C-alpha cells in the first residue's frame, strides 16, 4: 500500500514531469485539474455512444440512424483525444495525439455535411399540432371502418344462411336497414327487344314488394349499365330523369347504383339504393355496395347454374329412361342372341362330337382291317399293294381329320392344357429318330441342339408340345431341298427366390425356300398356305394355326423370320414346371408278337354297338389267343359281366339303350358291394371312344374306367394296354423266321432304271417330285398307275417307299436332261 501511495506521489511531483508540463507552469494543482477534467470528459464521451448504440439497436425503425452512428463515432474520438491529453503529460506522443485529432476533425466535418443534407427532412417533420389533426382523421376513418365492418357483419349475418330468392330478399332488407334508406332493389337483365330489368327483390320502406319488370330507357339504371360503373345522384334525382314515372311515384330524391358482372365481365343485372332524402355516398357505402354487388352477381350465376343443372338432370333422366328402354330392348336382343349363340355352340359341340364319331369310326375299321391284312402271307402281291395304299391313304386322311377337328375345338374354346410330368430328352430323341430318316432321304442334316443345363424332366402338356415340334420340323423338312434343319432349345428360370417354372425357348431353323413378307402376314391364318405349300398340294393349312394356339395356351407365343431362298426360322417359348424323376418306360418290343404265352387264359368282353368295330377288335384279340365275348349295348355288357366275369372290358362310351358311362358306373357300384364280401377281383374297364376331344378322357376316368383308347386304334395300342393292365406275357416269332423274311425282302428288292423306263416320262417326273419331297402318300398313289402285270416292280417300289429309301429311288429313276 505504501508503494502505491509512493507511486502516485511521484507522478504528481514536478520533478517527474516531462517538458509538456511546462504548459501548466509545473503547478501540481493545475496538472491535477486538467487530468481530472479530461478523464471525466472522456468517461462522459464514451458513455454517450453506448447509449446511442443501444437505442439504435432497439429502435431499428427510427429514421436517420446513420447520423446517430456518425455522431457516436465523433464523440468517441473526442473522448480519445482527452485521454491522450492526459497521456502526453508524461509521454511526448504528440504525433498520435495529432492523428487522433485529425481523424476527429474529418468525422466531425462528414457528420456536419450529413446533417446539412438531412436538414430539409428534419424540417419536413410534422409539428405536434399537425400530428394531432392526422390522428383525429385516422380516428374518424377507424370509426367509419368499424361502422362499415359492423354493417357488413350485420348484412352478412342476415344473408349467410340463405340462398336463391331468399338471399336477394335478405340482401335488400338488411342493406336498407344498414344504410337507412327507403328503397333497395336488385335486378337481373331480361332478353327482350326493349332493354329491361326484372327485380329479384325490391324493398320498399318497411316490406318487400312484388317483383316488377321495367324498361331501362330514361332511368338511372340505364346510366349504370351503360358505363358499367358505380353511378350516384346524391340529390335532385328527378331533375336528371324527369320522364321516369317510377321515381315520381316513390318521390325519389337520391340514387346509387352498381352493375352486376359475371366472371367474363358481362352485365347480368343491377344493385341500387333509392331514398326520399339526399344521400351522400362515402367510402363505407361504396365498399358495402361493391361487396354485395359481387355477392349478388355470384348468387345469380349460381342460381342460373343450378337451374341449368336441374335442366341437365331432367334431360339426363329423360335420356336415361330412353336409354334404359333401349338397353332393355338391347338386353332382350342380346339375351336372345346369347341363347342362340349358346344353342349354336352346343350344336357345334354336338356336331363336332358327332363328326368325330362318324369320321373316326369307319376309319377305325379301315385302318384296323388293313393292319390285320398286311402281315397276311396268303395275299397276292397285287392285293398287298392295294392294302398298303389303303392304309397310307387312311393314315393321311386321319391326319387331315384330326387337324380340322382340332381347329374346330380351338374355335369352340374346347382346347385346354393337360400338364403331365415327362422326360423331355426322351421326347426329343423319339422325334429325332422319327424324322431323321425322312431328312436323310432328302440329303438334309437334321440337328437337335440343346445345352447340358436343359432340364430333363419337366411338367407341361407333352402331346401338344410334340405336335408343335412335329408340325414345325415336318414343314422345315418338307420345304428344304438342300442344307440343314436345326432345332435349338434353351431354358430360362424365372427370377424369384423360389422359382417353380421354366421358360423353354425353341427355334426351328432351315435353309429352305423361305417366304416373302406378304406370305408371312397370313402364315398363321386358318386354311392359309404359303406359295410352296399350295404348290405341294398337301395339308389343310391348319398346322401352323394349331401350333400357334397351342403355344399361346402353354403361356408363350410364336414368331417367324424368313427371306426368300434363304430359309426360315420359327421361334416360340412356353412355360413349364419343375418335375421329379419320371419313372422309366416299361414298354416292351411289339415286333413279332404272335399270341398270349401258353398256359394263360384271359376273358375279354367287347361292349360295342358298331358291328365292324366289334369284328375288328374280336379278330385282333382272337389272333392273340384271348377268350372273347361281345355285347351291343351297356345293358348287355352288365349282364355279361355278371355272368362271365371277364378280366377286362373294352367299353365303347356311346351305345344305345345304356351308354358306356352308365354301364361303367353300375359295374363299379356292384363291384364295391361284392368286394366288401371279398368275392371277386375288380374287372379292368378300358374306354373306347371315337371323339376327338381329349377332355373326355377325364370324364371316362371319373365314370370308373381304368384307361382310355381313342379310335381309330392300332393293334399295338391294344397289346400295350392289355400288357399294362393284365401283366400279360406274349410269345414272339422265332428269330430264324424273321431273318428269312428279311433276307427275302432284300433279295426281292432289286430294281434298276430299265424297270422304271416302261412308265411315261410325265409319270416319272411326278414320282421324282413326290420322292424329292418325301411324300410317301403321293408316291403310293402314283404306284397305283403301274400296270398290274408289273408285280415285281410294284412290290419293290412299295418296299422302298415304306422304308423311306427315297434317296435310292431318286437315283434309280431315269430322267430327261
Amino acid at each position: 500500500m505504501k508503494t502505491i501511495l509512493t507511486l502516485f506521489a511521484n507522478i504528481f511531483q514536478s520533478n517527474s514531469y516531462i517538458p509538456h508540463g511546462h504548459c501548466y507552469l509545473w503547478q501540481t494543482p493545475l496538472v491535477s485539474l486538467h487530468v481530472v477534467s479530461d478523464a471525466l470528459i472522456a468517461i462522459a464521451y464514451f458513455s454517450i455512444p453506448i447509449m446511442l448504440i443501444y437505442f439504435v439497436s432497439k429502435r431499428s425503425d427510427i429514421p436517420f440512424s446513420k447520423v446517430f452512428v456518425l455522431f457516436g463515432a465523433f464523440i468517441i474520438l473526442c473522448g480519445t483525444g482527452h485521454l491522450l491529453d492526459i497521456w502526453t503529460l508524461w509521454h511526448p506522443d504528440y504525433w498520435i495525439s495529432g492523428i487522433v485529432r485529425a481523424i476527429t476533425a474529418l468525422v466531425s466535418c462528414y457528420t456536419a455535411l450529413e446533417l446539412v443534407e438531412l436538414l430539409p427532412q428534419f424540417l419536413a417533420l410534422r409539428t405536434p399540432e399537425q400530428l394531432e389533426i392526422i390522428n383525429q382523421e385516422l380516428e374518424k376513418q377507424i370509426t367509419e371502418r368499424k361502422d362499415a365492418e359492423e354493417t357488413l357483419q350485420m348484412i352478412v349475418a342476415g344473408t349467410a344462411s340463405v340462398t336463391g330468392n331468399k338471399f336477394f330478399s335478405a340482401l335488400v332488407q338488411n342493406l336498407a336497414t344498414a344504410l337507412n334508406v327507403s328503397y333497395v332493389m336488385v335486378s337481373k337483365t331480361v332478353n327482350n327487344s326493349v332493354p329491361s330489368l326484372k327485380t329479384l327483390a325490391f324493398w320498399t320502406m318497411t316490406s318487400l314488394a312484388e317483383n316488377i319488370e321495367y324498361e331501362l330507357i330514361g332511368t338511372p339504371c340505364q346510366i349504370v349499365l351503360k358505363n358499367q360503373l358505380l353511378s350516384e345522384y346524391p340529390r335532385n334525382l328527378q331533375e336528371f330523369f324527369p320522364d321516369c314515372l317510377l321515381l315520381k311515384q316513390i318521390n325519389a330524391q337520391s340514387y346509387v347504383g352498381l352493375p352486376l358482372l359475371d366472371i367474363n365481365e358481362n352485365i347480368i343485372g343491377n344493385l341500387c339504393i333509392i331514398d326520399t332524402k339526399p344521400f351522400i355516398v362515402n367510402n363505407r357505402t361504396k365498399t358495402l355496395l361493391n361487396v354485395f354487388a359481387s355477392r349478388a352477381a355470384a348468387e345469380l350465376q349460381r342460381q342460373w347454374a343450378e337451374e341449368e343443372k336441374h335442366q341437365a338432370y331432367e334431360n339426363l333422366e329423360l335420356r336415361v329412361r330412353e336409354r334404359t328402354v333401349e338397353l332393355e330392348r338391347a338386353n332382350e336382343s342380346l339375351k336372345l342372341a346369347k341363347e342362340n349363340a349358346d344353342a349354336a355352340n352346343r350344336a357345334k359341340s354336338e356336331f363336332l362330337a358327332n363328326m368325330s364319331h362318324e369320321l373316326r369310326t369307319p376309319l377305325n375299321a379301315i385302318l384296323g382291317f388293313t393292319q390285320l391284312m398286311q402281315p397276311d402271307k396268303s395275299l397276292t402281291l397285287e392285293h398287298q399293294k392295294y392294302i398298303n395304299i389303303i392304309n397310307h391313304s387312311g393314315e393321311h386322311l386321319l391326319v387331315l381329320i384330326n387337324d380340322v377337328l382340332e381347329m374346330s375345338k380351338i374355335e369352340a374354346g374346347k382346347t385346354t392344357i393337360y400338364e403331365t410330368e415327362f422326360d423331355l430328352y426322351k421326347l426329343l430323341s423319339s422325334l429325332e429318330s422319327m424324322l431323321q430318316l425322312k431328312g436323310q432321304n432328302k440329303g438334309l442334316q437334321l440337328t437337335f441342339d440343346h445345352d447340358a443345363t436343359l432340364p430333363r424332366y419337366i411338367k407341361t402338356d407333352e402331346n401338344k408340345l410334340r405336335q408343335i415340334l412335329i408340325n414345325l420340323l415336318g414343314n422345315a423338312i418338307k420345304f428344304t431341298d438342300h442344307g440343314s434343319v436345326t432345332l435349338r432349345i434353351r431354358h430360362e428360370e424365372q427370377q424369384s427366390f423360389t422359382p417353380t417354372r421354366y421358360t423353354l425357348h425353341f427355334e426351328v431353323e432351315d435353309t429352305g425356300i423361305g417366304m416373302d413378307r406378304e406370305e408371312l402376314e397370313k402364315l398363321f391364318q386358318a386354311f392359309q398356305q404359303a406359295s410352296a405349300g399350295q404348290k405341294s398340294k398337301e395339308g389343310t393349312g391348319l398346322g401352323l394355326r394349331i401350333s400357334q394356339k397351342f403355344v399361346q395356351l402353354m403361356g408363350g407365343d410364336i414368331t417367324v423370320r424368313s427371306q426368300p431362298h434363304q430359309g426360315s426360322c420359327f421361334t416360340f417359348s412356353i412355360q413349364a414346371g419343375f418335375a421329379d424323376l419320371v419313372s422309366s418306360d416299361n414298354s416292351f418290343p411289339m415286333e413279332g408278337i404272335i399270341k398270349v404265352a401258353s398256359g394263360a387264359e384271359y376273358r375279354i368282353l367287347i361292349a360295342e354297338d358298331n358291328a365292324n368295330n366289334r369284328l375288328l377288335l374280336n379278330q385282333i384279340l382272337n389272333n392273340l389267343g384271348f377268350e372273347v365275348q361281345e355285347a351291343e349295348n351297356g345293358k348287355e355288357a352288365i349282364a355279361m359281366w355278371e355272368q362271365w366275369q371277364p378280366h377286362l372290358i373294352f367299353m365303347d362310351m356311346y351305345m344305345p339303350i345304356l351308354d358306356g358311362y352308365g354301364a361303367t358306373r353300375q359295374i363299379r357300384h356292384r363291384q364295391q358291394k361284392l368286394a366288401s364280401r371279398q368275392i371277386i377281383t375288380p374287372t379292368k374297364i378300358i374306354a373306347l371312344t371315337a371323339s376327338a376331344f381329349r377332355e373326355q378322357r377325364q370324364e371316362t376316368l371319373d365314370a370308373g374306367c381304368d384307361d382310355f383308347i381313342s379310335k381309330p386304334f392300332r393293334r399295338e395300342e391294344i397289346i400295350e394296354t392289355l400288357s399294362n393292365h393284365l401283366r400279360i406275357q406274349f410269345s414272339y416269332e422265332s428269330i430264324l423266321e424273321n431273318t428269312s423274311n428279311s433276307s427275302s425282302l432284300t433279295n426281292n428288292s432289286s430294281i434298276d432304271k430299265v424297270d422304271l423306263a416302261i412308265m411315261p416320262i410325265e409319270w416319272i417326273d411326278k414320282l421324282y417330285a413326290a420322292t424329292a419331297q418325301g411324300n410317301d402318300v403321293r408316291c403310293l398313289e402314283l404306284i397305283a398307275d403301274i400296270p398290274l402285270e408289273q408285280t415285281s416292280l410294284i412290290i419293290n417300289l412299295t418296299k422302298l417307299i415304306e422304308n423311306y429309301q427315297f434317296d435310292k429311288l431318286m437315283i434309280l429313276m431315269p430322267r430327261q436332261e
Side-chain angles (χ1 to χ4, degrees), residues 294-342:
S294 299
R295 178 76 188 280
E299 181 60 28
L300 182 57
Q301 293 177 84
R302 190 201 66 78
Q303 193 177 49
W304 287 345
E306 192 73 20
E307 292 174 357
E308 291 178 357
K309 183 180 72 173
H310 285 307
Q311 184 64 39
Y313 280 156
E314 291 178 0
N315 294 337
L316 181 59
E317 288 178 358
L318 178 60
R319 292 179 60 188
V320 167
R321 287 195 294 271
E322 293 175 352
R323 186 60 176 166
T324 301
V325 173
E326 293 178 1
L327 288 176
E328 289 175 352
R329 294 174 182 171
N331 285 337
E332 291 295 329
S333 300
L334 289 174
K335 184 178 179 181
L336 180 60
K338 182 179 181 299
E339 292 175 354
N340 293 335
D342 291 340

Side-chain angles (χ1 to χ4, degrees), residues 613-651:
N613 287 334
R614 287 202 310 273
L615 177 60
L616 170 63
L617 189 53
N618 194 330
Q619 190 66 39
I620 293 175
L621 295 173
N622 273 319
N623 291 344
L624 291 171
F626 293 97
E627 294 183 36
V628 181
Q629 293 288 340
E630 298 180 1
E632 296 186 11
N633 55 63
K635 187 175 181 180
E636 291 183 7
I638 295 173
M640 188 68 69
W641 168 78
E642 290 180 336
Q643 176 184 355
W644 193 44
Q645 290 297 309
H647 295 89
L648 183 142
I649 302 175
F650 284 105
M651 182 77 72

Side-chain angles (χ1 to χ4, degrees), residues 388-403:
N388 289 334
I389 292 174
I390 293 172
N391 187 67
H392 283 280
S393 299
E395 294 284 356
H396 183 64
L397 180 59
L398 179 61
V399 171
L400 299 181
I401 291 173
N402 286 340
D403 282 350

Side-chain angles (χ1 to χ4, degrees), residues 160 311 332 343 397 408 411 424 508 552 600 607 699 729 740 746:
Q311 184 64 39
E332 291 295 329
L397 180 59
S408 300
E411 292 179 350
L424 178 60
V508 177
Q552 292 172 352
E699 295 179 15
Q729 299 296 323
S740 64
T746 305

